[in-house]
Amino acid sequence: MKHINIDGAQNVEVSRKLPSEKTPARQLDMMERYTEVYRSHLNDDKSLREVKCLEVIYPGLFRHLQKGDLIAGRLDFLPIGFGCVTSVGGVGHYCVFHKLRGLKDQLPESDWPRIDALYDFWQDHDLKTLYCQDVLDETTTGRFIDCAYPYMATARLSGMMLDYTKLMRLGVPGLKREIAERLAADQGNGYLQASLEMMDLFVKVIRAQKDLVADSGDVPMEAKQRMIGDLTAIEDNPPQTFRQALQLFWLYALCAGCINYGRLDIVLGPFLKADIEAGIETEDSAQAVLESLWMLIENRRTTVNGRIIVGGRGRPDPEAADLFAKICLRVVKKLRCVEPQFTFRFDAETDPALKDMAYECIAAGATYPTLYNDDVNIPAVQYAMRVDRETAEQYLPFGCGEFVIQGQSVGTPNTLLNMVKVLQIAMNEGVDPMDGKQKNGLVQLKPLVDLTTFEAFYDQYKKMLDWYFEKCARDQLYSYEVMNREVSFLFASALMDDCLARGKALLDGGVQILGGTLETYGNINASDALTAIRRLVFEEKKYTLEEMNAAANRDFQGDEVMLRDILAVPKYGNDEQEADDMADDLYEFTAKSVRQKGIDLGMDYFLIVISNNQTNTDWGLQTAASLDGRRRGVYMNPANNPQGGAAKSGPTAVLNSLSRFDAKYHGGSVQNIKFTPRMMHEDKEKVKILFDTYFRKGGCQLMVTVVDKGQLEDAQKHPEKYPDLIVRVAGYSAVFVDLDKTVQDELLSRALWD
């Protein structure tokens, strides 16, 4: 088989990364040492190889503090190294080939052969390349983010949110002791032996931080002394104070490569409450420390991650958790950072004052917190993931809305499907009208003339979808098999149930719940197209299937009357039963089919996530015109929301449509809406009633952008005037002027309610 080269961008990067503190020469030296250690342990136990490679990059990758830091822990990333996700490096033993090549620009030409040697070696050993080599093909399956394909597959371990409460309870010595005891009962277990060595390495990281703190010139001496004291304390004991707990959590998360952090109100709230009661901290001093954490997370610039979740059911100490949440909300309102993706879970019993604080943050234009409704999501997760209620109460959203269970489940989204392209393939006897390539896999498709009823037409689409669903499920499971073959994810495994108890790494049978998610795109474009076809072809008989398909394939050039007829058909997002019923029908077919595919293959769950980052725009650029009236190359609808310009009946109608989908069938869904500051402030009580009604009717989630009329348009023309204008893209927020124009255009197309 032809060798697949995955050189090129492998994820959406909106924010520019901070430059490495290491010189190019030092980076090259570290990457060569990493590669040599990997090569020398190539045939050894994967866990041993992993820890030996980690010893090359830790603590060396850590960098000095910056002005304002009150906790230690800043990390550089190399084009070659070890990680969980492509947002900060790569997955497993990785090489980011285009960034490795780019290093040549910073090195003398005499060093270029060294770069070339590394490039050639990792072509055969980069984990993601190994996966893509087996999965990608020339027609149906592209790598993330190659939008010429109807389906994309990748390997990553996204969304890991570890059991930091266990780390707080045991501390470093307690966790080492547990691993040693497990190893004594299971001598010769390579995973446990490597885990013990991993903890020794973590102690070295803690100790090295003290030197970095002492050597950081921009940090006041008092702050340095306090950090050094906290670092010394957590070397040999469980944390006793809020700052010690925060410091321990942060360093472990960095070493684990985890870029989502979970329910920190549960983890840190009790320490905060105790310190305030003892007079060790005040609310103001705690806020300053959390502001420092916010900036550390923001500086990692992971685009769609950095989740911190507060609120909701399942918290052992609600009073302490609410105290932590309250201070976090103050930080959010003050700093207005792009990250972390601050998330507020609530239910009918949530303190109204806390909900008011959340709404005030949103009204101030922070785009955070994102709102998650426990009254809907907990029973939904219970059914979707097949877990009990106590477990479901620990659900967490990450990335672009996917759910996991903190410390218990893997649910990474390693497959993505373009619902519109699949519909077009089904209508054109397997051919993608965008590029003329055959992309129907093994499915035999009938010509449109033979599809004489809407049911027959819809069934052909479902048949094509079903083939892709099967492929998605198998490729998802295979991504775990490839990752498990190569690495153990030692740091992550140690804080995930029940890896240590079972003596097995995360993907080797160690994790308690193994699931996954399929990101679906263009689902509303597809359902609106189905509505138009049913009405105009099969009910009104105004056009034939062949005529409508031909018109779409030529981008409606010369078919302006038909296009007007299509646009006049009811669209999702207007509380129109015809359109909403079709959207719901397609949703339930997709969600139920995908879920069953995963169960049949042995996963604990495999669920769709009705997702959005900016892939709806990127994929739209390479998708032909669709029969909802969307033109060729235009962005597709964002997540669970109507296509831009389609919502014409007001915000209540939009939210009524959004609340239709039964949450128990999906693994996360995102809803975006835009309001003016006038509406959020002057009509504050009306907006609260609107939101409360939406959530009572079954709304599971909501994300709100607040901007003035004309502000985004002006920012597009005069970006220099709006360096800090934050917008909610979908599963993430961004500075508007940092976005590509095509993404800006999609945001501008969304209705702004006043």
Side-chain angles (χ1 to χ4, degrees), residues 675-699:
F675 292 106
T676 63
R678 188 215 63 78
M679 188 168 183
M680 289 297 293
H681 292 289
E682 295 179 23
D683 294 333
K684 177 181 177 180
E685 293 307 313
K686 291 180 181 178
V687 171
K688 287 169 62 176
I689 292 170
L690 178 67
F691 288 179
D692 289 347
T693 302
Y694 160 70
F695 288 125
R696 279 200 305 272
K697 294 182 69 171

Short mmCIF file of all heavy atoms in Angstrom, two decimals, residues 675-699:
data_model
loop_
_atom_site.label_atom_id
_atom_site.label_comp_id
_atom_site.label_asym_id
_atom_site.label_seq_id
_atom_site.Cartn_x
_atom_site.Cartn_y
_atom_site.Cartn_z
N PHE A 675 -27.30 37.61 21.34
CA PHE A 675 -28.15 38.71 21.80
C PHE A 675 -27.35 40.00 21.82
O PHE A 675 -26.13 39.99 21.96
CB PHE A 675 -28.69 38.43 23.20
CG PHE A 675 -29.66 37.29 23.29
CD1 PHE A 675 -29.29 36.08 23.85
CD2 PHE A 675 -30.96 37.43 22.83
CE1 PHE A 675 -30.17 35.03 23.95
CE2 PHE A 675 -31.86 36.38 22.92
CZ PHE A 675 -31.47 35.18 23.48
N THR A 676 -28.07 41.11 21.74
CA THR A 676 -27.42 42.40 21.92
C THR A 676 -27.27 42.69 23.42
O THR A 676 -28.04 42.17 24.25
CB THR A 676 -28.24 43.53 21.29
OG1 THR A 676 -29.51 43.62 21.97
CG2 THR A 676 -28.47 43.30 19.81
N PRO A 677 -26.31 43.54 23.80
CA PRO A 677 -26.21 43.94 25.20
C PRO A 677 -27.49 44.60 25.70
O PRO A 677 -27.87 44.42 26.87
CB PRO A 677 -25.04 44.93 25.20
CG PRO A 677 -24.23 44.54 24.01
CD PRO A 677 -25.21 44.07 22.99
N ARG A 678 -28.18 45.35 24.83
CA ARG A 678 -29.42 46.00 25.25
C ARG A 678 -30.43 44.97 25.73
O ARG A 678 -31.05 45.14 26.79
CB ARG A 678 -30.02 46.79 24.07
CG ARG A 678 -31.23 47.66 24.47
CD ARG A 678 -32.28 47.73 23.39
NE ARG A 678 -32.87 46.46 23.08
CZ ARG A 678 -33.81 45.86 23.84
NH1 ARG A 678 -34.24 46.43 24.96
NH2 ARG A 678 -34.32 44.69 23.50
N MET A 679 -30.57 43.89 24.97
CA MET A 679 -31.55 42.87 25.35
C MET A 679 -31.13 42.17 26.65
O MET A 679 -31.97 41.92 27.53
CB MET A 679 -31.70 41.85 24.23
CG MET A 679 -32.84 40.86 24.47
SD MET A 679 -33.21 39.90 23.00
CE MET A 679 -34.61 38.93 23.57
N MET A 680 -29.83 41.88 26.79
CA MET A 680 -29.36 41.16 27.98
C MET A 680 -29.47 42.02 29.24
O MET A 680 -29.61 41.48 30.34
CB MET A 680 -27.91 40.71 27.79
CG MET A 680 -27.74 39.59 26.78
SD MET A 680 -28.57 38.04 27.26
CE MET A 680 -27.62 37.55 28.69
N HIS A 681 -29.41 43.33 29.09
CA HIS A 681 -29.47 44.21 30.26
C HIS A 681 -30.87 44.78 30.48
O HIS A 681 -31.45 44.62 31.56
CB HIS A 681 -28.43 45.33 30.13
CG HIS A 681 -27.02 44.87 30.21
ND1 HIS A 681 -26.45 44.42 31.38
CD2 HIS A 681 -26.05 44.77 29.26
CE1 HIS A 681 -25.20 44.07 31.17
NE2 HIS A 681 -24.93 44.26 29.89
N GLU A 682 -31.41 45.42 29.46
CA GLU A 682 -32.72 46.07 29.64
C GLU A 682 -33.87 45.06 29.71
O GLU A 682 -34.88 45.32 30.38
CB GLU A 682 -32.96 47.06 28.50
CG GLU A 682 -31.98 48.22 28.49
CD GLU A 682 -32.22 49.17 27.33
OE1 GLU A 682 -33.36 49.19 26.81
OE2 GLU A 682 -31.27 49.89 26.94
N ASP A 683 -33.72 43.94 29.03
CA ASP A 683 -34.75 42.88 29.07
C ASP A 683 -34.25 41.66 29.82
O ASP A 683 -34.57 40.52 29.49
CB ASP A 683 -35.15 42.48 27.64
CG ASP A 683 -35.85 43.61 26.90
OD1 ASP A 683 -36.45 44.46 27.57
OD2 ASP A 683 -35.77 43.64 25.66
N LYS A 684 -33.46 41.92 30.85
CA LYS A 684 -32.82 40.84 31.60
C LYS A 684 -33.81 39.80 32.10
O LYS A 684 -33.59 38.59 31.93
CB LYS A 684 -32.04 41.45 32.77
CG LYS A 684 -31.37 40.44 33.68
CD LYS A 684 -30.64 41.15 34.82
CE LYS A 684 -30.02 40.17 35.79
NZ LYS A 684 -29.32 40.87 36.89
N GLU A 685 -34.90 40.24 32.69
CA GLU A 685 -35.86 39.28 33.25
C GLU A 685 -36.54 38.48 32.15
O GLU A 685 -36.82 37.29 32.32
CB GLU A 685 -36.90 40.03 34.10
CG GLU A 685 -36.32 40.66 35.36
CD GLU A 685 -35.54 39.68 36.21
OE1 GLU A 685 -36.06 38.56 36.46
OE2 GLU A 685 -34.42 40.01 36.63
N LYS A 686 -36.79 39.13 31.01
CA LYS A 686 -37.39 38.40 29.89
C LYS A 686 -36.44 37.32 29.37
O LYS A 686 -36.87 36.21 29.03
CB LYS A 686 -37.74 39.38 28.76
CG LYS A 686 -38.88 40.33 29.08
CD LYS A 686 -39.16 41.26 27.90
CE LYS A 686 -40.28 42.23 28.21
NZ LYS A 686 -40.53 43.17 27.08
N VAL A 687 -35.16 37.66 29.30
CA VAL A 687 -34.17 36.69 28.82
C VAL A 687 -34.08 35.52 29.78
O VAL A 687 -34.02 34.35 29.36
CB VAL A 687 -32.79 37.36 28.63
CG1 VAL A 687 -31.72 36.32 28.35
CG2 VAL A 687 -32.84 38.39 27.51
N LYS A 688 -34.10 35.80 31.07
CA LYS A 688 -34.05 34.72 32.06
C LYS A 688 -35.26 33.81 31.92
O LYS A 688 -35.15 32.58 31.99
CB LYS A 688 -33.97 35.31 33.47
CG LYS A 688 -32.61 35.91 33.80
CD LYS A 688 -32.62 36.72 35.08
CE LYS A 688 -32.96 35.89 36.29
NZ LYS A 688 -32.87 36.68 37.54
N ILE A 689 -36.42 34.39 31.71
CA ILE A 689 -37.64 33.59 31.51
C ILE A 689 -37.52 32.76 30.24
O ILE A 689 -37.89 31.58 30.20
CB ILE A 689 -38.88 34.49 31.46
CG1 ILE A 689 -39.14 35.12 32.84
CG2 ILE A 689 -40.11 33.72 30.99
CD1 ILE A 689 -40.20 36.21 32.84
N LEU A 690 -36.98 33.37 29.19
CA LEU A 690 -36.77 32.66 27.93
C LEU A 690 -35.86 31.46 28.13
O LEU A 690 -36.17 30.34 27.68
CB LEU A 690 -36.16 33.62 26.90
CG LEU A 690 -35.82 33.04 25.52
CD1 LEU A 690 -37.08 32.64 24.78
CD2 LEU A 690 -35.01 34.06 24.71
N PHE A 691 -34.74 31.67 28.80
CA PHE A 691 -33.81 30.57 29.05
C PHE A 691 -34.44 29.50 29.93
O PHE A 691 -34.33 28.29 29.65
CB PHE A 691 -32.53 31.09 29.72
CG PHE A 691 -31.62 31.88 28.83
CD1 PHE A 691 -30.45 32.43 29.32
CD2 PHE A 691 -31.93 32.09 27.49
CE1 PHE A 691 -29.60 33.16 28.51
CE2 PHE A 691 -31.09 32.82 26.66
CZ PHE A 691 -29.92 33.36 27.18
N ASP A 692 -35.09 29.94 31.02
CA ASP A 692 -35.70 28.97 31.94
C ASP A 692 -36.76 28.13 31.24
O ASP A 692 -36.87 26.92 31.48
CB ASP A 692 -36.31 29.69 33.14
CG ASP A 692 -35.26 30.28 34.07
OD1 ASP A 692 -34.08 29.92 33.94
OD2 ASP A 692 -35.62 31.11 34.93
N THR A 693 -37.54 28.75 30.37
CA THR A 693 -38.57 28.01 29.63
C THR A 693 -37.92 26.99 28.70
O THR A 693 -38.37 25.84 28.60
CB THR A 693 -39.45 28.97 28.82
OG1 THR A 693 -40.05 29.91 29.72
CG2 THR A 693 -40.53 28.22 28.07
N TYR A 694 -36.88 27.40 28.01
CA TYR A 694 -36.15 26.49 27.11
C TYR A 694 -35.62 25.28 27.88
O TYR A 694 -35.77 24.13 27.44
CB TYR A 694 -35.01 27.26 26.44
CG TYR A 694 -33.91 26.41 25.87
CD1 TYR A 694 -34.13 25.63 24.74
CD2 TYR A 694 -32.64 26.41 26.44
CE1 TYR A 694 -33.10 24.85 24.21
CE2 TYR A 694 -31.62 25.65 25.92
CZ TYR A 694 -31.85 24.87 24.81
OH TYR A 694 -30.83 24.11 24.29
N PHE A 695 -35.02 25.52 29.02
CA PHE A 695 -34.46 24.41 29.79
C PHE A 695 -35.56 23.52 30.36
O PHE A 695 -35.41 22.29 30.41
CB PHE A 695 -33.56 24.95 30.91
CG PHE A 695 -32.26 25.51 30.42
CD1 PHE A 695 -31.87 26.81 30.74
CD2 PHE A 695 -31.42 24.75 29.62
CE1 PHE A 695 -30.66 27.32 30.28
CE2 PHE A 695 -30.20 25.26 29.15
CZ PHE A 695 -29.83 26.56 29.49
N ARG A 696 -36.68 24.10 30.77
CA ARG A 696 -37.80 23.27 31.27
C ARG A 696 -38.38 22.40 30.16
O ARG A 696 -38.88 21.30 30.42
CB ARG A 696 -38.90 24.17 31.86
CG ARG A 696 -38.62 24.65 33.27
CD ARG A 696 -39.91 25.11 33.96
NE ARG A 696 -40.62 26.12 33.20
CZ ARG A 696 -40.40 27.43 33.30
NH1 ARG A 696 -39.48 27.88 34.13
NH2 ARG A 696 -41.10 28.30 32.58
N LYS A 697 -38.34 22.87 28.94
CA LYS A 697 -38.90 22.12 27.81
C LYS A 697 -37.96 21.05 27.28
O LYS A 697 -38.28 20.35 26.32
CB LYS A 697 -39.26 23.08 26.67
CG LYS A 697 -40.41 24.03 27.02
CD LYS A 697 -40.77 24.93 25.86
CE LYS A 697 -41.43 24.15 24.73
NZ LYS A 697 -41.97 25.06 23.68
N GLY A 698 -36.79 20.91 27.90
CA GLY A 698 -35.88 19.85 27.49
C GLY A 698 -34.57 20.33 26.91
O GLY A 698 -33.76 19.50 26.46
N GLY A 699 -34.32 21.63 26.91
CA GLY A 699 -33.04 22.13 26.42
C GLY A 699 -31.91 21.62 27.29
O GLY A 699 -31.96 21.71 28.52
#
